[in-house]
Amino acid sequence: MGRRCSVAGCNSTAGLHSIPVDLEIRCQWLHALGLEVRDFPPNVKAGVCNLHFTRDCFDNAVEVEMGFSKHLALKSDAVPNAATPAWTPSPQRCLVPKITREIGCQTESVTYITAGVQANVKPIRRSKATQARMANRSVSCDTVTLMEPFTECPEATSTPIKRKRCEVSTDDSSYHQVGSESTMNSTSISKDVFPHEVTKYIVYEDKLLELFKRCPVCTRSCVVSRTTIGTLLRVKQHCAHCHYARDWSSQPVVNNIPAGNLQLCAAVLFTGSSFCQISKFLDAFKIQGISEPCFHKHQAKLLIPTINWQWKIMQDDLIEKAIADGAVTLGGDMRADSPGHSAKYGSYTMMDLRANRVIDIQLVQSNEVGNSQRMEKEGFERSLSLLEQRGVVIQSLVTDRHTGVQKFMREQKKDIRHYFDPWHMGKGLGKKMDALSKGKGLQDVGLWRKSVVNHLFLVCNIINIWGGGSGQVELCSESHSKHPQP
């Protein structure tokens, strides 16, 4: 049989607080309860329930009333009272007492409304002499009832449901957590929500550690230690009184990789941001982040291979659709890492103009072909060769006026119609007019630059309409829809 309240007439077994071991405070407790010290030596485990303490005796009375805590934490200098209590907590509902007093009568009753339970406390007995004195008093027996509106507080949520772990092939050697399997795999509140889809919040450290100050079993102070691994916070809680222990992590861990660390690396890389700038932002905000070696390690081992894998899947799907559509019209151009003739890398992009989708990308380094001027031709040949090997039938091709590409198409690919993009033609025409306007007495030529370039696109659109949507001008006008119109 479990412990019960040591106060005479009280059989409560919930919310018991052990009598302090300290002799001075122990004597105060026993004297307030009307008990003898010799009947309760220090080795006797006796307790007093919450009903015999006032509201001021608890540290977290407000939290319990609002439903954010289930157990009351007793102050170190609190002393119980054997008389009828004036306040009693409720684990899930705010307590509103219904007090009924009979003035001039012999009894006083207090009724407490809790979460679905109504408890009536026994009335205080009075001596016969007191009853005789009150009987002689001419006081009417009026009943005063004080009833406040009932307020419902937030109820506790259910236990999180486990879901299947995400599979990651590479372990994170920077983190090895020792704990139970349930701690490692508790990822989200729903089995259908992945860690990267769960909403995150900014929580201050001192506010978070307040949740671990008190033991949830005996409500006493606990020993709390914390460990941080990047964005992950691990808290160990231990109670020296009831030996309660808990190992808590702020985020799920998959194959020894904290999910927050990996998602932060992915957010930086996928948005095209700079790790240095993001790191400065986190430092200014005092948010726990990751180190630069950790970022580069996850980028090289996990993120870039994932991007390549996803791109191959999308490219295969686009090529299959292009083959199903029959002959296609492609547009290609190169973008270098720096302007001029000093570029080291160049990426040549081939696009399906009718589907408006990029179908292939080729990366070329300048030392592979001798100089940066030859990178565009090399990327063009690689992309064209790949698509033809995959079975794509190329009807027309639109590029800029690169001399190497013109020669290759003229000599090697005579069966493919080759067109020039009017955007590049307009850009070249504008540069020539700018150079001409710098001559002596030719400043007025620069005033006509915009009108002449717009007129070029006007002619392309008119011929396209009159030509019935076929021929060279049609393909050129479709390649860039962002050009200025007259």
Side-chain angles (χ1 to χ4, degrees):
M1 186 174 180
R3 293 190 303 165
R4 292 183 179 274
C5 184
S6 301
V7 180
C10 182
N11 297 324
S12 176
T13 60
L16 293 179
H17 301 276
S18 300
I19 298 179
V21 181
D22 184 80
L23 182 60
E24 182 179 357
I25 302 179
R26 190 180 186 88
C27 292
Q28 294 180 9
W29 277 46
L30 297 177
H31 179 73
L33 298 176
L35 303 174
E36 297 293 336
V37 178
R38 62 176 180 269
D39 296 335
F40 291 87
N43 57 353
V44 176
K45 295 183 178 180
V48 180
C49 67
N50 293 330
L51 298 176
H52 304 285
F53 292 90
T54 61
R55 188 178 187 276
D56 299 332
C57 294
F58 301 102
D59 282 328
N60 59 341
V62 178
E63 288 83 350
V64 173
E65 290 176 348
M66 299 181 65
F68 297 113
S69 180
K70 295 183 180 180
H71 303 280
L72 288 169
L74 196 62
K75 294 182 179 179
S76 58
D77 58 346
V79 178
N81 187 0
T84 304
W87 178 81
T88 302
S90 174
Q92 294 186 3
R93 294 179 182 266
C94 296
L95 183 64
V96 179
K98 180 180 179 181
I99 305 175
T100 303
R101 295 181 180 179
E102 296 180 2
I103 303 176
C105 298
Q106 300 178 2
T107 61
E108 293 182 358
S109 62
V110 183
T111 303
Y112 292 90
I113 302 175
T114 59
V117 178
Q118 179 172 324
N120 295 323
V121 183
K122 295 182 178 180
I124 301 177
R125 298 181 179 180
R126 291 171 177 165
S127 62
K128 294 182 178 180
T130 304
Q131 297 178 14
R133 289 196 304 269
M134 296 190 66
N136 297 329
R137 297 172 58 185
S138 58
V139 181
S140 61
C141 186
D142 297 333
T143 300
V144 180
T145 302
L146 304 178
M147 184 63 186
E148 298 178 4
F150 185 82
T151 305
E152 186 174 7
C153 292
E155 298 183 356
T157 57
S158 60
T159 305
I161 304 175
K162 297 181 181 179
R163 70 164 185 83
K164 187 177 179 180
R165 292 187 296 173
C166 298
E167 296 182 358
V168 180
S169 59
T170 305
D171 292 344
D172 188 356
S173 58
S174 63
Y175 177 73
H176 295 282
Q177 181 175 2
V178 180
S180 61
E181 188 68 19
S182 60
T183 303
M184 298 297 100
N185 303 332
S186 180
T187 55
S188 62
I189 59 175
S190 175
K191 63 181 181 180
D192 298 329
V193 180
F194 293 95
H196 65 277
E197 298 177 345
V198 178
T199 304
K200 288 81 176 173
Y201 299 93
I202 297 177
V203 182
Y204 285 66
E205 183 183 44
D206 55 343
K207 298 298 182 181
L208 181 62
L209 295 181
E210 286 183 0
L211 303 176
F212 302 94
K213 290 193 309 182
R214 298 287 180 177
C215 176
V217 178
C218 65
T219 68
R220 295 189 180 184
S221 299
C222 294
V223 178
V224 179
S225 61
R226 62 180 182 86
T227 306
T228 56
I229 306 295
T231 61
L232 180 139
L233 173 64
R234 183 183 179 188
V235 179
K236 291 185 177 181
Q237 182 184 15
H238 177 73
C239 180
H241 303 280
C242 65
H243 304 289
Y244 171 82
R246 178 169 58 174
D247 193 352
W248 178 84
S249 296
S250 62
Q251 58 187 248
V253 179
V254 183
N255 286 9
N256 279 338
I257 302 178
N261 294 354
L262 183 59
Q263 189 173 358
L264 178 58
C265 297
V268 174
L269 180 63
F270 295 165
T271 57
S273 304
S274 170
F275 177 80
C276 295
Q277 295 297 329
I278 297 298
S279 180
K280 292 179 182 178
F281 168 78
L282 296 179
D283 291 341
F285 205 170
K286 296 300 180 182
I287 298 178
Q288 186 71 19
I290 59 176
S291 62
E292 188 171 359
C294 179
F295 169 75
H296 292 298
K297 180 183 66 175
H298 288 322
Q299 177 182 262
K301 293 185 177 180
L302 295 174
L303 300 180
I304 293 180
T306 301
I307 294 173
N308 293 335
W309 170 73
Q310 183 65 28
W311 161 246
K312 292 297 181 183
I313 295 178
M314 296 180 60
Q315 186 181 29
D316 293 341
D317 182 62
L318 292 172
I319 291 177
E320 290 180 1
K321 292 181 179 179
I323 296 174
D325 293 339
V328 298
T329 300
L330 301 179
D333 198 4
M334 191 194 76
R335 180 178 182 181
D337 60 341
S338 61
H341 300 279
S342 60
K344 184 178 181 180
Y345 295 100
S347 60
Y348 196 89
T349 304
M350 195 72 76
M351 183 176 182
D352 186 351
L353 298 181
R354 294 177 179 174
N356 199 24
R357 293 288 186 274
V358 174
I359 197 171
D360 185 49
I361 299 176
Q362 295 293 332
L363 181 64
V364 184
Q365 192 171 352
S366 59
N367 57 12
E368 297 179 11
V369 293
N371 55 57
S372 59
Q373 185 66 20
R374 301 176 182 175
M375 289 193 304
E376 183 165 358
K377 179 185 176 184
E378 180 66 22
F380 172 77
E381 292 181 6
R382 291 181 185 180
S383 182
L384 195 64
S385 175
L386 173 65
L387 296 177
E388 289 180 342
Q389 291 178 4
R390 299 289 296 271
V392 178
V393 179
I394 303 174
Q395 178 184 9
S396 305
L397 189 63
V398 181
T399 65
D400 57 4
R401 295 180 296 171
H402 191 276
T403 56
V405 175
Q406 293 185 50
K407 182 178 179 181
F408 177 80
M409 292 296 296
R410 185 172 60 251
E411 296 178 356
Q412 304 293 334
K413 302 294 179 181
K414 297 181 180 180
D415 55 333
I416 300 177
R417 289 182 293 178
H418 186 207
Y419 301 121
F420 297 146
D421 195 332
W423 181 83
H424 291 87
M425 298 176 63
K427 181 180 179 181
L429 181 60
K431 288 184 177 180
K432 292 179 180 179
M433 294 185 66
D434 290 338
L436 184 63
S437 63
K438 295 179 181 179
K440 185 177 180 181
L442 301 176
Q443 291 80 6
D444 293 341
V445 176
L447 302 176
W448 289 87
R449 181 185 185 280
K450 183 176 180 181
S451 299
V452 171
V453 174
N454 286 346
H455 185 72
L456 175 64
F457 289 103
L458 174 62
V459 173
C460 293
N461 290 333
I462 293 176
I463 297 179
N464 181 30
I465 297 174
W466 289 355
S470 63
Q472 172 183 353
V473 180
E474 175 195 3
L475 298 177
C476 295
S477 61
E478 287 182 353
S479 59
H480 284 279
S481 60
K482 63 181 180 179
H483 305 312
Q485 301 295 333

